[in-house]
Amino acid sequence: MVVAPPVDPLAAWIAAALIAALFAHAAIAKLADRARLEHHLAAYGVPQAAVAALAWALPLLEGVTAGLVLTPWRPVGAVAAAALLLAYAAVMAWQRAHGRVLDCGCGGAPLAVSWALVARNVLLAALAGLAAAPPAPRALGLADFIVVVAAVMLATLLHAACNEVLRHGQRARSDPFLEKA
Amino acid sequence: MDAMTVSVVLLWAAVLVLGVLVWALSRQIGVLFERVAPMGALVTDAGPPVGAESPTFELNGLQSEPVFIGGAQERPTLLFFLAPTCPVCKKLIPVLKSLRRDEGRQLRIVLASDGERAEHLAFIRAQGLEPMPYVLSTELGLAYRVSRLPYAVLLDALGRVVAKGLVNTREQFDSLLNAHDLSASSIQQYLERRAA
């Protein structure tokens, strides 16, 4: 297993809760619109035969990962989360390196694949690594719980805001009028 | 509770409120982008490219006249996208009429729009557009990716796109019609070359 110095359980719990929220959202967004997911998978170059299977497997895998990081099997879930995030980052980087600009399929409003998203996924994978680290023995109280909830709320807001800002940047670049202005 | 606890709680509250504000502001920037979108003189390079076959449409005009768009026709077709609510379109109607008078034998002019029938019929009567076929078709506008009005598409007699673009003035109309002879694909290309 991963050998890492113990971290404060609060830090590990915040990381785990953020990963769980991220993957739960991703899984729900993918399951809610499987037609769009299949469209995205095809756009990423997944062979037609595998699209239908992967359109079930990916959201299920993400849902299980989200559940696992909140259970005693947290390291397993966290490693799975990091692996998924890095795999997505690799696929996006490959597409971007070949000059292709496609919708990332990250859930929510369309957002084109960019190096910023690759960097975001690597950072999130590091966060998953933090969730996999063994926590130092310390009993958690109500205050810790409140901090975890507040941190998840804050991270959700900032994540949504970052996506919006990325979207605006892409729109400004694709519009010749705004580019000249 | 000591001062440290109170201040940490207050700071968390402040950071959360600021997070909400940052998110709301970033969304409002998106709304602003929509509002300040350019109003004209911009060719959107979407839709069938110049030189490509136009998609074909079999439509019925507002005055029940059959209108065929695309495919081989006896004359080239000028498709003019307009709307009763667009002031620049109204300004160009005399140009369209004189065009029809002078070049009607060599050029078929088709007016296109979408929306409420009654509103467009009143517009036709008010502006005296009865001699020109007038079609209401959202599909037609979508096929040519018309995002801003007034927009014109010139098709040759074989149904290929010769030129297309936003037209705001009589000069831009003329340049669109001359585009084929000048082998410039859009008003912008034509004007840029003339300026260069």
Side-chain angles (χ1 to χ4, degrees):
Chain A
M1 208 57 241
V2 187
V3 182
V7 294
D8 188 80
L10 179 59
W13 263 108
I14 289 175
L18 294 184
I19 293 296
L22 180 77
F23 275 83
H25 171 257
I28 290 167
K30 284 190 175 68
L31 280 178
D33 199 346
R34 289 193 50 253
R36 196 157 72 139
L37 173 60
E38 290 185 3
H39 174 80
H40 282 143
L41 287 173
Y44 271 109
V46 173
Q48 202 57 46
V51 163
L54 212 55
W56 274 115
L58 272 186
L60 285 180
L61 200 61
E62 287 176 345
V64 169
T65 305
L68 271 182
V69 288
L70 297 178
T71 61
W73 296 285
R74 191 165 71 202
V76 182
V79 167
L84 269 173
L85 284 165
L86 289 176
Y88 291 156
V91 172
M92 287 197 287
W94 194 81
Q95 295 286 346
R96 199 67 201 81
H98 285 71
R100 278 192 285 269
V101 177
L102 60 166
D103 183 10
C104 82
C106 306
L111 182 60
V113 164
S114 62
W115 289 115
L117 286 181
V118 176
R120 180 198 73 177
N121 267 28
V122 171
L123 280 177
L124 286 171
L127 188 73
L130 182 64
R138 174 168 86 84
L140 291 176
L142 181 64
D144 296 290
F145 175 73
I146 293 170
V147 169
V148 169
V149 171
V152 169
M153 279 161 66
L154 181 65
T156 308
L157 282 168
L158 292 182
H159 186 257
C162 285
N163 282 352
E164 284 286 331
V165 170
L166 272 179
R167 233 168 257 144
H168 300 331
Q170 287 170 357
R171 179 146 46 169
R173 273 195 297 281
S174 67
D175 194 320
F177 176 80
L178 290 168
E179 193 180 33
K180 273 176 200 157
Chain B
M1 273 209 287
D2 60 356
M4 191 63 96
T5 316
V6 173
S7 68
V8 165
V9 168
L10 280 177
L11 284 173
W12 260 114
V15 169
L16 280 175
V17 170
L18 286 173
V20 172
L21 285 178
V22 167
W23 175 73
L25 281 174
S26 65
R27 290 199 56 104
Q28 280 177 16
I29 292 171
V31 176
L32 275 177
F33 267 121
E34 308 273 333
R35 296 245 173 99
V36 301
M39 295 303 289
L42 184 80
V43 164
T44 46
D45 249 0
V50 167
E53 293 272 333
S54 158
T56 55
F57 288 90
E58 282 183 34
L59 302 165
N60 267 319
L62 266 183
Q63 300 167 98
S64 320
E65 65 280 16
V67 180
F68 300 99
I69 308 286
Q73 303 281 337
E74 54 182 19
R75 287 171 296 171
T77 303
L78 177 72
L79 254 179
F80 187 70
F81 292 90
L82 78 177
T85 49
C86 144
V88 187
C89 306
K90 277 185 196 149
K91 207 179 79 189
L92 285 173
I93 283 171
V95 181
L96 281 171
K97 283 182 179 165
S98 73
L99 205 62
R100 186 180 162 271
R101 203 173 47 235
D102 302 339
E103 310 214 24
R105 278 155 201 257
Q106 300 110 50
L107 185 71
R108 180 176 68 134
I109 300 174
V110 177
L111 305 178
S113 192
D114 63 348
E116 283 294 321
R117 253 183 104 78
E119 193 190 335
H120 288 276
L121 278 169
F123 178 66
I124 290 174
R125 251 172 252 130
Q127 300 287 339
L129 296 174
E130 289 89 348
M132 291 184 240
Y134 193 115
V135 293
L136 288 188
S137 168
T138 311
E139 290 75 26
L140 191 62
L142 284 175
Y144 288 104
R145 302 281 197 281
V146 177
S147 55
R148 297 179 181 102
L149 296 173
Y151 193 89
V153 179
L154 186 62
L155 305 176
D156 67 9
L158 295 171
R160 282 187 306 239
V161 179
V162 176
K164 56 176 184 164
L166 204 75
V167 280
N168 286 338
T169 62
R170 185 183 194 114
E171 288 72 29
Q172 288 181 335
F173 236 122
D174 291 341
S175 79
L176 187 71
L177 291 172
N178 290 334
H180 186 43
D181 311 326
L182 296 166
S183 68
S185 63
S186 71
I187 293 159
Q188 266 64 33
Q189 203 185 331
Y190 171 71
L191 289 177
E192 265 171 32
R193 266 210 315 210
R194 212 168 49 161

